[in-house]
């Protein structure tokens, strides 16, 4: 497989979201979609508005929020007539919410949930019989769970770097979480 690292400008592999404002910024579905589009390449507000079929002013507002919080930046400009067009790009391939509390003592929102987004996005695929997934339960240590998470993060990074081709955008959701699933007692 040829490694085709999108989106064509320098960016970090991973960025920890350390402030509540950053977490809130990615918690909005339109902003998440903007970030996903910018995995392909840098784009102008006009291009994003066209792809999203939303008013340019609405998209500009959300791009400004993402830029202010450090998730996007201007990666190049182009002069079109008397106007300088800005191309926005992601600052990292992957964003993750840091478990560390902020220095100011602010609490990050606790209602941000990638699986809620995935459930909403995947409804049509489910109805069409095109949703593939697994769910498994295993009684393992927290260290083992962390090791699995690191391996999943590597798989997500591979998915992010996959060469862009085809006509369909696929979603990819992974997670590991503690449950209150019943367990048999250990044998003596």
């Amino acid at each position: 497989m040829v490694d085709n690292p999108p989106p064509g400008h320098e960016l970090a592999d991973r960025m920890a979201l350390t402030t509540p404002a950053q977490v809130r910024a990615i918690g909005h579905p339109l902003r998440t979609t903007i970030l996903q589009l910018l995995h392909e390449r840098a784009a102008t507000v006009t291009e994003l508005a066209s792809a999203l079929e939303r008013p340019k002013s609405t998209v500009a507002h959300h791009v400004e929020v993402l830029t202010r919080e450090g998730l996007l930046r201007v990666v190049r400009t182009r002069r079109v007539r008397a106007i300088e067009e800005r191309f926005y790009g992601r600052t990292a391939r992957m964003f993750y919410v840091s478990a560390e509390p902020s220095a100011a003592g602010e609490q990050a929102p606790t209602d941000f949930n990638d699986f809620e987004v995935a459930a909403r996005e995947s409804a049509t695929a489910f109805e069409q019989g095109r949703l593939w997934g697994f769910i498994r339960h295993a009684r393992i240590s927290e260290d083992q769970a962390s090791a699995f998470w690191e391996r999943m993060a590597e798989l997500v990074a591979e998915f992010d770097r996959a060469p862009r081709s085809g006509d369909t955008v696929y979603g990819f959701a992974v997670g590991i979480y503690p449950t209150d699933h019943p367990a048999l007692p250990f044998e003596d």
Side-chain angles (χ1 to χ4, degrees):
M1 177 198 280
V2 176
D3 193 20
N4 181 17
H9 61 274
E10 290 294 318
L11 72 165
D13 280 331
R14 294 171 53 142
M15 177 181 161
L17 304 181
T18 58
T19 68
Q22 287 176 319
V23 176
R24 280 191 298 274
I26 65 168
H28 191 285
L30 185 58
R31 292 184 204 134
T32 302
T33 304
I34 289 169
L35 287 169
Q36 290 168 349
L37 285 171
L38 295 176
H39 244 300
E40 297 289 325
R41 65 172 177 84
T44 66
V45 168
T46 302
E47 291 174 315
L48 291 167
S50 176
L52 296 165
E53 298 179 345
R54 294 289 186 90
K56 190 174 169 182
S57 59
T58 300
V59 173
H61 164 75
H62 290 290
V63 165
E64 169 56 30
V65 170
L66 292 167
T67 301
R68 182 178 59 240
E69 298 308 326
L71 284 74
L72 297 183
R73 66 182 173 88
V74 176
V75 296
R76 73 176 185 273
T77 59
R78 166 175 78 184
R79 198 112 178 112
V80 177
R81 295 184 202 92
I83 297 172
E84 187 172 79
E85 248 183 347
R86 288 181 227 136
F87 286 79
Y88 292 89
R90 296 167 63 106
T91 56
R93 293 185 202 293
M94 181 189 305
F95 299 106
Y96 65 96
V97 178
S98 173
E100 301 294 318
S102 77
E106 297 175 281
Q107 291 295 315
T110 56
D111 60 349
F112 177 74
N113 187 335
D114 281 339
F115 284 109
E116 183 179 333
V117 173
R120 191 172 46 250
E121 283 184 351
S122 65
T124 301
F126 174 75
E127 291 167 3
Q128 296 172 349
R130 297 183 65 207
L131 176 63
W132 304 288
F134 296 100
I135 187 167
R136 299 291 186 268
H137 297 93
R139 188 172 10 176
I140 58 176
S141 70
E142 191 169 332
D143 287 342
Q144 288 171 304
S146 293
F148 273 105
W149 178 248
E150 287 300 318
R151 288 173 50 204
M152 286 188 285
E154 290 171 11
L155 190 57
V156 169
E158 180 184 333
F159 183 82
D160 283 344
R161 289 188 308 267
R164 298 322 197 222
S165 62
D167 297 325
T168 304
V169 176
Y170 284 88
F172 180 61
V174 297
I176 191 165
Y177 51 91
T179 71
D180 56 0
H181 197 70
L184 293 171
F186 289 109
E187 287 188 304
D188 292 324

